[in-house]
Amino acid sequence: MIAERKILVVAHSEELSRVAAEEFVVNAETSVRKNGFFTVALSGGSTPKGLYMKLAGEPYREKIPWSKVHFFWGDERCVPPDHPDSNYRMARESLLDKVPIPEVNIYRMPAELEDHDRAASEYEQTIRAFFHLEAGEKPRFDMVLLGMGDDGHTASLFPRTSALEERDHLVSANYIEKLSAWRLTLTVPVINQAAQVLFLISGESKASVLKEVLEGDFQPHRLPSQLIRPVHGSLLFIADSLAAGKLSHW
Ligand code: 6PG
């Protein structure tokens, strides 16, 4: 059963961050009430960063039960954690260093390892241990945050890359030809297992690709964001008016 897909168009990126923060708080409160904790996979990118900065301030900071939030990453650049390109560093500076989150609740991808496949499998073990997974089982994150590139990529699932095909592993090392760079990424089945997937998309540069992803033909190798279809969860696109400018309906 494909989840219901919702598209929320907001005026501008500031409003996008606010609406996303509200969603984050509601999901966190609900998950903690139900299970005693909240698991979220963070995204890199400037649009998600706007959300992190919002969460670090009031009124959101005080609403979130930080000691019960467990932070994972949806993807990471294969660089050291203090590298300017690191998604981990971005999240630390914009959010994690500003809120009372226990260090043990932060599960960083070991993306600095030279052996990228080892890094992927180590993170897979981290996820398996946290979620107490049996062989073949996939984790169900309460929330997966995603951005979308103007080429239709999300997380580090880039067009025509090997990670798009991965259906068994939880985490893939993925070489991105056009960036001449290695990345680590959660795989499609893991993201599609989430209770809630939130796409945060802003800016005119995303208008054409967002229209293709949402209204165009299904071409997942060219538009990997089309692969994201939670099987038992909700899928919410929050886009500002510039990014949504070419959509015919929402
Ligand atoms: C990354 C992100 C990536 C990002 C998109 C959108 O590691 O770069 O995970 O998928 O979310 O490229 O980024 P912007 O919001 O900055 O356009």
Side-chain angles (χ1 to χ4, degrees):
M1 185 266 285
I2 297 296
E4 32 96 27
R5 182 183 83 181
K6 258 175 71 181
I7 303 161
L8 212 46
V9 178
V10 295
H12 41 67
S13 57
E14 170 62 22
E15 178 67 1
L16 188 155
S17 299
R18 190 189 66 71
V19 172
E22 301 286 348
E23 281 292 327
F24 188 99
V25 168
V26 168
N27 194 330
E29 286 173 340
T30 307
S31 302
V32 168
R33 196 168 44 249
K34 256 177 25 185
N35 309 318
F37 57 86
F38 173 55
T39 55
V40 54
L42 298 179
S43 168
S46 56
T47 312
K49 180 177 179 179
L51 164 61
Y52 306 157
M53 294 169 70
K54 188 68 79 177
L55 292 172
E58 299 312 343
Y60 309 102
R61 189 181 191 280
E62 67 189 7
K63 291 181 179 176
I64 296 165
W66 296 107
S67 65
K68 297 189 170 65
V69 180
H70 296 267
F71 283 104
F72 296 80
W73 272 261
D75 73 316
E76 185 57 278
R77 291 84 180 280
C78 289
V79 295
D82 59 355
H83 190 283
D85 290 349
S86 164
N87 289 340
Y88 168 80
R89 174 174 161 176
M90 182 272 276
R92 282 231 75 116
E93 290 174 346
S94 53
L95 175 59
L96 303 178
D97 287 346
K98 299 175 177 174
V99 294
I101 178 112
E103 283 301 316
V104 290
N105 289 25
I106 298 172
Y107 302 83
R108 181 179 70 82
M109 287 187 164
E112 72 279 9
L113 295 180
E114 288 295 308
D115 181 338
H116 306 307
D117 288 330
R118 188 177 134 224
S121 63
E122 282 191 13
Y123 201 63
E124 176 150 342
Q125 290 321 311
T126 299
I127 293 172
R128 290 196 171 286
F130 179 87
F131 285 93
H132 306 297
L133 299 179
E134 301 292 330
E137 260 192 310
K138 300 280 188 296
R140 182 171 170 77
F141 285 97
D142 294 311
M143 177 179 266
V144 173
L145 288 167
L146 296 174
M148 186 190 294
D150 58 12
D151 61 355
H153 84 261
T154 189
S156 282
L157 300 163
F158 282 78
R160 299 180 187 83
T161 56
S162 60
L164 300 187
E165 315 295 335
E166 183 55 55
R167 293 294 175 272
D168 300 318
H169 286 293
L170 309 184
V171 187
S172 267
N174 201 24
Y175 184 69
I176 318 301
E177 195 78 43
K178 77 174 195 180
L179 302 176
S180 308
W182 281 91
R183 298 276 191 100
L184 299 182
T185 187
L186 292 185
T187 55
V188 172
V190 171
I191 297 172
N192 284 342
Q193 197 62 32
Q196 181 182 34
V197 177
L198 207 47
F199 269 101
L200 308 179
I201 307 168
S202 70
E204 193 166 10
S205 69
K206 306 293 174 71
S208 299
V209 72
L210 185 59
K211 180 174 183 61
E212 285 204 87
V213 165
L214 294 179
E215 300 177 359
D217 296 339
F218 186 60
Q219 301 174 295
H221 284 92
R222 193 171 70 82
L223 301 165
S225 293
Q226 290 184 328
L227 289 167
I228 307 307
R229 310 165 93 178
V231 283
H232 300 292
S234 66
L235 175 58
L236 173 59
F237 287 80
I238 309 179
D240 67 10
S241 52
L242 287 174
K246 293 183 175 174
L247 294 182
S248 326
H249 46 269
W250 64 74

